[in-house]
Amino acid sequence: MDELLYYLELIFLLSSSISNFCRATDLFTLLGWLYILFLLLCILGWSRLRPARNTTMFSYPLSVFNLFIFLTLQLSRVAHAQSPDKDTTSIQSAGEATGAAPLPTSASSAVTVISGTTTTFRPIFTVPTEAGTGKPVLPNINDPNATDAQTVCPGYTATNVKRTDYGLTASLNLAGSACNVYGTDIEALNLTVEYQSADRLAVRVVPAYIDASNSSHHILPTTLVHQPTIDADAKSSILTNDLSFTWSNDPTFSFSVYRQSTGDTLFSTQGTKLVFENQFIEFASALPEEYNLYGLGETIHGLRLGNNFTKTIYAADIGDPIDYNIYGSFPFYLDTRYYEVNPSTGNLTLVISNDTNATAEYLAYSHGVYNRNAHGQEILLRPTNITWRSLGGSIDLYFYAGPTQPKVTTAFQTSAIGLPALQQYFTFGYHQCRWGYANWTVLQEVVDSYERFGIPLENIWTDIDYMNQVSHNVRLTQEGITNGKTFLSNLHASGRHYIPIIDSAIYVPNPENASDAYPTFNRGNDTNSFLTNPDGSTYIGEVWPGYTVFPDWLGSSAGPWWTNEMVTWHNQVAFDGAWIDMSEVSSFCIGSCGSGNITMNPVHPPFFLPGEPGAVIYDYPEGFNLTNATEAAAAASASSSQKAAASTAGASSTMPNYVRTTPTPGVRNVNYPPYVINNVQGDLANHAVSPNATHGGVGGIEEYDVHNLFGFQILNATYNALLAAIPGKRPFIIGRSTFAGAGKWAGHWGGDNTSLWAYMFFSIPQALSFSLFGIPMFGVDTCGFNGNTDEELCNRWMQLSAFFPFYRNHNTLTAIPQEAYVWASVAEATRTAMMIRFSILPYMYTLFYLAHNTGSTVMRALAWEFPNDPSLAAADRQFFLGPAILVTPVLDQGATSVDGVFPGTARNGEIYYDWYTLAPQSNTTGNVTIEAPLGHIPVYLRGGYVIPTQEPAMTTRDARKNPWGLIAALSSEGAASGELYVDDGESVVQNATLFVTFTASNNALHATARGSYNDTNPLANVTVLGVQNPVTSVTLNGKDVGKEGVKYNESSKALMVTGLKGMTVGGAWKEDWVLRWG
């Protein structure tokens, strides 16, 4: 027995020494060698340390020491989890990992297979679920015990009313005892009313006493968000303003805004009380029955908001839930009212029903309302009124008279939020992305596959896979940079572009791991560029890479630091734009959870990533069971098992103990305000930086007051950074979190939608809403981001998105591939739609030029083009691209036809021509059933418009070198007009531009150009639709085209003129011309 124990102990000594050395070296190399030195000293003194054999294990002092060291190192390994020995998630060189290694939650070694080699790596600590779970809160609108402020608050009384040159001012004082229902009542307020222009009225209510202690609570600085001011010519122009302001003190202060031309009340707080507290503001207005309101974003919802809907405005990191607040904040709405015209008297009667008479004549008036407030808000839309509630700020209302949607939108942009950015031409090409493109080799394979299948690809994107380790900031390995330069050089040579994701949080390197160094963080930290806690310490949250910090855009140093980092990075990786994500701003844990824990970095988020056990993707679109029954049944079974396991693990029968805050006079509770808005995430700190995080250090502005502006500010900073990184070129930015005015810097994508037919439909009203918000560069994750798509859905969606300005396919990690070439039918449908898109790119680019200069819209609701037709008020399953192209997509699974309307045909004599056949649509009465087999999207050209075209190519660079074409779709009067804008497609400041106008009438098409931009592409063809009589001759500037170049189709009434290249050798627009036919 003694002998056995002796040899067992020797074996333990040997194995434990080896193990301890390895583990010590993993933690710190020097520590491992110090341990070896200790062993050598022990061996030298072996004879003295060796005791007599006995029956006791661990009789040698070295055995006891090794056991102690082993246990200590094991505990340290859990507490100080390090990054993998091999980087299995970053884009590196060819042949390296193409997938992420599993992220264990225990301290044992993990094993994965990379390129056929078994690899052991250290585990990553997983942040506990409870660290990312806020306290339960009950929204006031769902709380049966919530106090109605209207029943307990006194309202205000107006005094000291004084007229001014542009309106009036007044003092508002509490009309009774303070109610302090959801904060501390502000006893004295100032009212300012200004007629600012011919079509704009401003109404502002702010606290009478503002100083440094409360300014950020109530005043939105004009340096952050532009504030409309009185126009220079206001003294004369306001005389024609159609809006009128009145006020009353009966029984307490209220005000009303009228339209003078109709006598209609547009907004009136009469019969309600104004409530103004330090954390709660409420005002309300009556609305007509069955009103038509649009806007109030960002929400996945129908275009018309309806009259039983609560709209929350609070930027949230969430995967596109229907009817809840998501990423953006747009406190603006459009109100359209229809009036029936009496044919005898001309008198107008307001329509208060959705039922209208097809034979009656209607007239519409639209106005806009903008509340310039960046705090968390709720807007309650109810059958007869709208109630506006805010967690702070002030009342800063702007009423836009219209009276049409185009006039409202233009006035809103030019006075308040700025005109949309003019995008580079290449951005209108096709974009491909997915979470899961693991290295440069995979990207090259995707690019090559698109080329091989003959599908145009303009831009390749990378999600968070490309970043070093799991840091998910701007950080690539040196080897990845070297290989990336080769990839990007070839990509750019082919006329394509690369766009990387850039997350809004900055990784904090582990101070105990020298290889984890991150100079970007160091430079930002050294310049105080990050948010802080109230005590001045750095606020450290947690996002994809682990514990992170967040830029403080209100400070003076964050902007220059961001620019420097972008320039430095661009010098290493020549990206062509920026994709700004997680900018609400998101944090996966509550509060500054990383404080004191950065030696654990990098860490795993407190939830499963897609594909990990418990988060395997089994979801498919609606109707998948009808087309793929066996696969659908297997997926449904596996999904049920996964959900059951999760339900069992997280089961709890305990009722939530809701947090309810009682107001403390003079003190704000920013983390848990007394009034609880219906935030999709509940606790304001859930998936967000906590409201008490501080901008500008101790005593600075709290996140609570500017939360909705983080995404807005990072887009501004990125715009300036790209101007420096890529001088002279228009910055291309797609951002997730936006605010009113973000469109002057960036576009927006619809966020993390789902591969469902419902989300394909919702993409249309979402895009139309962003037209109202001044962000025309909009698109969604085509085929869906979350879940698995299927062939039919992707087929339809790839065709629909081809008519959105921003056209990108993107999906989540471990979901099935959904590139356009995956299914043969999808590839064919995509090629068909892309050929149309590429043909009309000059038209689309011209629309953006006009939007950039005039505030017009690109994607348009049917009701905006035909404003006097009340039957179109809720139409959001079709849309116009500009004024001339009507798109009617199939939005239902299994459908082979679609119902659509052709607006204006009955009353206005509008004509629509089928894009494919060139023939006029014959049946245009009411809802028309249009044949649309899979792979076909109905597209129509509206009569009265001339559309410039260009021959398609695999990239926009090559398409811009191709000959021009024109399609003149004649109206019922035989006329048409159009425009074309041409420049170099990229420069911020143009040395030369060209603008061409087209007019068609009396069997002639005229082209007249102005500008000095030299475009040498010839004119290839002209197609004239709606030519009623056969054509025997065509001339261009008096020269006969020749019979071989003239083709007239008697059936479709289409005239096709070709062979014009030789007649326009110097360029289609080098000189003005007229094409005549007869």
Side-chain angles (χ1 to χ4, degrees):
M1 185 65 180
D2 291 350
E3 193 76 8
L4 177 61
L5 292 175
Y6 173 77
Y7 285 108
L8 284 175
E9 186 157 4
L10 287 180
I11 293 172
F12 172 77
L13 276 171
L14 178 62
S15 62
S16 63
S17 296
I18 294 173
S19 176
N20 286 347
F21 169 73
C22 292
R23 296 182 187 282
T25 304
D26 280 351
L27 282 176
F28 192 54
T29 303
L30 182 59
L31 184 61
W33 290 111
L34 287 174
Y35 177 75
I36 290 294
L37 179 62
F38 173 80
L39 289 182
L40 291 174
L41 292 174
C42 287
I43 291 171
L44 290 174
W46 180 265
S47 59
R48 297 182 181 181
L49 292 173
R50 181 180 179 183
R53 298 180 188 177
N54 55 48
T55 58
T56 305
M57 271 292 286
F58 302 121
S59 58
Y60 294 97
L62 183 57
S63 297
V64 177
F65 179 77
N66 269 3
L67 181 61
F68 171 77
I69 292 297
F70 176 84
L71 293 174
T72 300
L73 291 176
Q74 190 76 347
L75 291 172
S76 297
R77 189 162 170 266
V78 175
H80 301 281
Q82 301 295 311
S83 57
D85 292 329
K86 276 200 174 183
D87 175 8
T88 61
T89 59
S90 63
I91 290 183
Q92 297 182 0
S93 59
E96 292 193 21
T98 59
L103 300 173
T105 57
S106 68
S108 59
S109 295
V111 177
T112 190
V113 176
I114 303 173
S115 300
T117 303
T118 300
T119 303
T120 301
F121 61 93
R122 287 163 288 167
I124 294 176
F125 176 75
T126 294
V127 176
T129 301
E130 54 269 22
T133 305
K135 296 179 181 179
V137 293
L138 181 62
N140 275 63
I141 63 168
N142 297 330
D143 186 352
N145 299 317
T147 301
D148 180 1
Q150 291 296 313
T151 64
V152 298
C153 293
Y156 288 80
T157 300
T159 60
N160 195 30
V161 179
K162 297 180 180 179
R163 291 181 180 177
T164 68
D165 289 343
Y166 302 99
L168 61 85
T169 62
S171 299
L172 304 180
N173 298 284
L174 278 177
S177 300
C179 60
N180 298 328
V181 61
Y182 295 117
T184 302
D185 282 20
I186 308 297
E187 294 187 2
L189 307 170
N190 287 337
L191 167 70
T192 302
V193 178
E194 292 176 342
Y195 292 89
Q196 295 187 333
S197 71
D199 60 357
R200 185 173 71 254
L201 170 69
V203 178
R204 300 193 194 105
V205 180
V206 300
Y209 305 103
I210 294 290
D211 58 24
S213 67
N214 69 347
S215 178
S216 65
H217 304 176
H218 299 289
I219 304 301
L220 181 57
T222 57
T223 53
L224 293 181
V225 177
H226 177 72
Q227 185 176 45
T229 56
I230 298 171
D231 285 4
D233 63 348
K235 280 193 176 181
S236 58
S237 66
I238 62 175
L239 298 176
T240 60
N241 196 310
D242 198 24
L243 302 178
S244 177
F245 176 91
T246 64
W247 66 275
S248 171
N249 271 338
D250 184 17
T252 62
F253 172 75
S254 65
F255 72 89
S256 300
V257 177
Y258 296 90
R259 184 183 295 279
Q260 296 185 72
S261 59
T262 64
D264 193 17
T265 303
L266 305 186
F267 198 94
S268 177
T269 65
Q270 190 171 8
T272 67
K273 298 173 184 174
L274 170 63
V275 182
F276 203 120
E277 300 177 338
N278 65 347
Q279 284 196 271
F280 181 73
I281 297 172
E282 179 178 276
F283 58 96
S285 169
L287 286 174
E289 295 179 40
E290 303 296 342
Y291 52 81
N292 305 296
L293 259 59
Y294 313 88
L296 296 177
E298 179 181 8
T299 304
I300 305 298
H301 191 80
L303 179 62
R304 185 169 64 177
L305 297 176
N307 60 11
N308 187 24
F309 177 50
T310 297
K311 175 67 193 85
T312 303
I313 294 181
Y314 194 79
D317 169 22
I318 189 71
D320 282 16
I322 295 172
D323 288 350
Y324 282 93
N325 57 302
I326 50 176
Y327 320 104
S329 303
F330 295 92
F332 167 86
Y333 70 77
L334 176 77
D335 184 340
T336 297
R337 302 183 184 184
Y338 295 95
Y339 300 83
E340 186 171 353
V341 181
N342 186 305
S344 301
T345 66
N347 293 339
L348 304 179
T349 302
L350 181 66
V351 176
I352 56 174
S353 170
N354 289 324
D355 297 325
T356 57
N357 186 343
T359 63
E361 180 183 355
Y362 295 93
L363 185 63
Y365 285 85
S366 293
H367 67 273
V369 179
Y370 171 47
N371 185 24
R372 184 179 166 274
N373 185 314
H375 279 76
Q377 298 170 55
E378 259 181 7
I379 299 95
L380 284 66
L381 300 177
R382 298 298 182 260
T384 59
N385 68 292
I386 179 173
T387 299
W388 216 301
R389 294 171 179 167
S390 171
L391 297 184
S394 61
I395 298 173
D396 196 1
L397 290 168
Y398 298 86
F399 297 90
Y400 294 90
T404 63
Q405 172 274 324
K407 289 187 176 181
V408 171
T409 301
T410 295
F412 177 45
Q413 293 182 36
T414 54
S415 69
I417 64 173
L419 294 164
L422 179 59
Q423 301 293 336
Q424 292 191 57
Y425 203 92
F426 83 81
T427 65
F428 299 107
Y430 175 66
H431 305 254
Q432 180 61 53
C433 182
R434 82 160 293 165
W435 182 7
Y437 290 156
N439 53 49
W440 297 115
T441 302
V442 172
L443 290 186
Q444 189 63 59
E445 290 172 353
V446 173
V447 174
D448 292 344
S449 294
Y450 271 95
E451 187 79 34
R452 186 169 63 254
F453 283 93
I455 303 173
L457 173 67
E458 185 79 19
N459 307 284
I460 190 74
W461 295 50
T462 48
D463 209 310
I464 55 180
D465 314 87
Y466 79 91
M467 301 179 191
N468 186 26
Q469 298 177 353
V470 288
S471 298
H472 302 160
N473 300 124
V474 180
R475 185 161 78 151
L476 280 154
T477 62
Q478 187 56 50
E479 189 174 10
I481 290 172
T482 301
N483 288 283
K485 287 183 177 179
T486 301
F487 168 80
L488 292 175
S489 177
N490 294 332
L491 186 77
H492 289 146
S494 71
R496 296 181 172 93
H497 305 82
Y498 168 62
I499 316 294
I501 196 171
I502 302 173
D503 280 350
S504 301
I506 302 298
Y507 177 71
V508 181
N510 189 327
E512 296 185 0
N513 182 359
S515 66
D516 202 37
Y518 190 25
T520 290
F521 165 80
N522 296 335
R523 290 188 287 266
N525 197 44
D526 291 343
T527 54
N528 299 316
S529 296
F530 304 130
L531 292 178
T532 63
N533 289 301
D535 63 3
S537 61
T538 302
Y539 184 101
I540 304 176
E542 194 261 322
V543 194
W544 297 116
Y547 297 120
T548 54
V549 292
F550 306 87
D552 176 9
W553 302 117
L554 298 187
S556 60
S557 59
W561 160 78
W562 188 257
T563 295
N564 177 70
E565 299 309 315
M566 293 286 278
V567 171
T568 301
W569 185 35
H570 189 267
N571 289 337
Q572 298 175 319
V573 179
F575 54 86
D576 301 289
W579 173 20
I580 302 298
D581 194 21
M582 311 300 289
S583 51
E584 291 70 34
V585 61
S586 174
S587 178
F588 297 158
C589 64
I590 304 298
S592 187
C593 63
S595 297
N597 293 320
I598 59 174
T599 53
M600 294 183 179
N601 253 351
V603 299
H604 186 282
F607 50 81
F608 297 126
L609 298 182
E612 291 181 346
V616 178
I617 298 173
Y618 297 114
D619 298 327
Y620 284 89
E622 312 95 317
F624 184 70
N625 60 312
L626 302 177
T627 56
N628 299 268
T630 302
E631 187 177 354
S637 176
S639 178
S640 297
S641 299
Q642 180 169 268
K643 290 177 181 177
S647 176
T648 301
S652 173
S653 59
T654 305
M655 290 295 293
N657 184 19
Y658 294 117
V659 174
R660 285 185 168 88
T661 299
T662 301
T664 301
V667 178
R668 297 197 309 168
N669 187 333
V670 297
N671 286 338
Y672 297 97
Y675 184 85
V676 181
I677 60 174
N678 190 33
N679 178 28
V680 64
Q681 291 285 12
D683 189 328
L684 297 182
N686 263 350
H687 270 254
V689 165
S690 288
N692 70 340
T694 306
H695 298 257
V698 177
I701 297 175
E702 292 178 295
E703 173 71 5
Y704 176 89
D705 296 313
V706 291
H707 169 80
N708 287 334
L709 294 177
F710 189 98
F712 179 75
Q713 292 173 291
I714 194 174
L715 293 177
N716 184 13
T718 303
Y719 184 88
N720 292 327
L722 289 183
L723 285 175
I726 315 175
K729 293 187 178 181
R730 305 167 202 158
F732 173 51
I733 309 167
I734 295 294
R736 192 167 80 171
S737 183
T738 50
F739 187 83
K744 58 181 172 286
W745 304 311
H748 174 63
W749 97 102
D752 296 344
N753 63 2
T754 303
S755 296
L756 294 171
W757 290 84
Y759 279 93
M760 181 169 66
F761 153 67
F762 279 121
S763 70
I764 298 175
Q766 194 178 10
L768 296 174
S769 294
F770 272 85
S771 292
L772 294 178
F773 302 149
I775 305 182
M777 191 61 174
F778 177 88
V780 298
D781 284 347
T782 302
C783 300
F785 176 76
N786 286 311
N788 296 306
T789 192
D790 68 4
E791 182 177 2
E792 183 184 3
L793 176 62
C794 203
N795 187 306
R796 294 297 192 186
W797 210 334
M798 285 296 294
Q799 291 204 315
L800 169 60
S801 287
F803 298 91
F804 281 48
F806 178 51
Y807 184 17
R808 185 182 74 166
N809 181 314
H810 178 225
N811 66 326
T812 192
L813 186 67
T814 74
I816 65 171
Q818 62 183 40
E819 290 81 7
Y821 50 75
V822 170
W823 296 281
S825 76
V826 176
E828 184 59 31
T830 300
R831 283 189 289 265
T832 299
M834 281 195 185
M835 289 306 99
I836 302 176
R837 179 185 180 89
F838 266 76
S839 296
I840 63 172
L841 280 184
Y843 170 74
M844 187 180 291
Y845 190 66
T846 301
L847 290 175
F848 264 80
Y849 168 77
L850 295 172
H852 173 67
N853 283 275
T854 69
S856 59
T857 53
V858 177
M859 287 183 67
R860 304 179 182 181
L862 274 59
W864 304 344
E865 284 296 301
F866 295 89
N868 297 324
D869 185 350
S871 70
L872 302 176
D876 55 9
R877 296 175 68 89
Q878 299 172 262
F879 61 91
F880 280 98
L881 183 60
I885 297 178
L886 175 64
V887 182
T888 306
V890 173
L891 301 172
D892 298 308
Q893 190 275 328
T896 57
S897 63
V898 59
D899 288 345
V901 297
F902 294 89
T905 53
R907 185 171 296 278
N908 303 334
E910 295 281 344
I911 299 177
Y912 293 87
Y913 300 91
D914 188 302
W915 172 274
Y916 307 95
T917 68
L918 305 181
Q921 175 68 19
S922 57
N923 180 13
T924 60
T925 303
N927 262 335
V928 178
T929 298
I930 305 164
E931 292 302 313
L934 192 63
H936 176 77
I937 181 169
V939 178
Y940 296 89
L941 302 176
R942 182 179 169 192
Y945 292 92
V946 178
I947 299 174
T949 64
Q950 215 160 5
E951 293 180 11
M954 292 296 287
T955 64
T956 60
R957 179 197 66 181
D958 294 341
R960 281 174 59 88
K961 300 175 184 177
N962 284 343
W964 295 95
L966 291 174
I967 302 175
L970 300 180
S971 67
S972 56
E973 290 82 20
S977 63
E979 299 159 314
L980 170 66
Y981 172 75
V982 186
D983 63 11
D984 68 10
E986 63 180 21
S987 298
V988 176
V989 178
Q990 290 293 328
N991 292 322
T993 63
L994 186 69
F995 195 83
V996 188
T997 57
F998 308 105
T999 57
S1001 63
N1002 300 318
N1003 294 346
L1005 174 62
H1006 298 258
T1008 306
R1010 63 180 186 272
S1012 58
Y1013 183 82
N1014 184 27
D1015 181 277
T1016 59
N1017 298 319
L1019 179 67
N1021 55 76
V1022 174
T1023 301
V1024 185
L1025 308 182
V1027 178
Q1028 298 304 312
N1029 299 310
V1031 174
T1032 58
S1033 67
V1034 177
T1035 62
L1036 181 66
N1037 275 355
K1039 296 181 181 178
D1040 186 50
V1041 171
K1043 291 184 178 181
E1044 66 279 2
V1046 178
K1047 182 179 180 181
Y1048 177 75
N1049 188 307
E1050 181 71 36
S1051 175
S1052 64
K1053 305 297 182 182
L1055 169 65
M1056 289 159 281
V1057 182
T1058 59
L1060 300 176
K1061 294 180 183 178
M1063 305 178 72
T1064 55
V1065 174
W1069 326 118
K1070 185 177 182 180
E1071 59 182 27
D1072 297 346
W1073 53 256
V1074 56
L1075 183 85
R1076 300 185 185 276
W1077 59 90

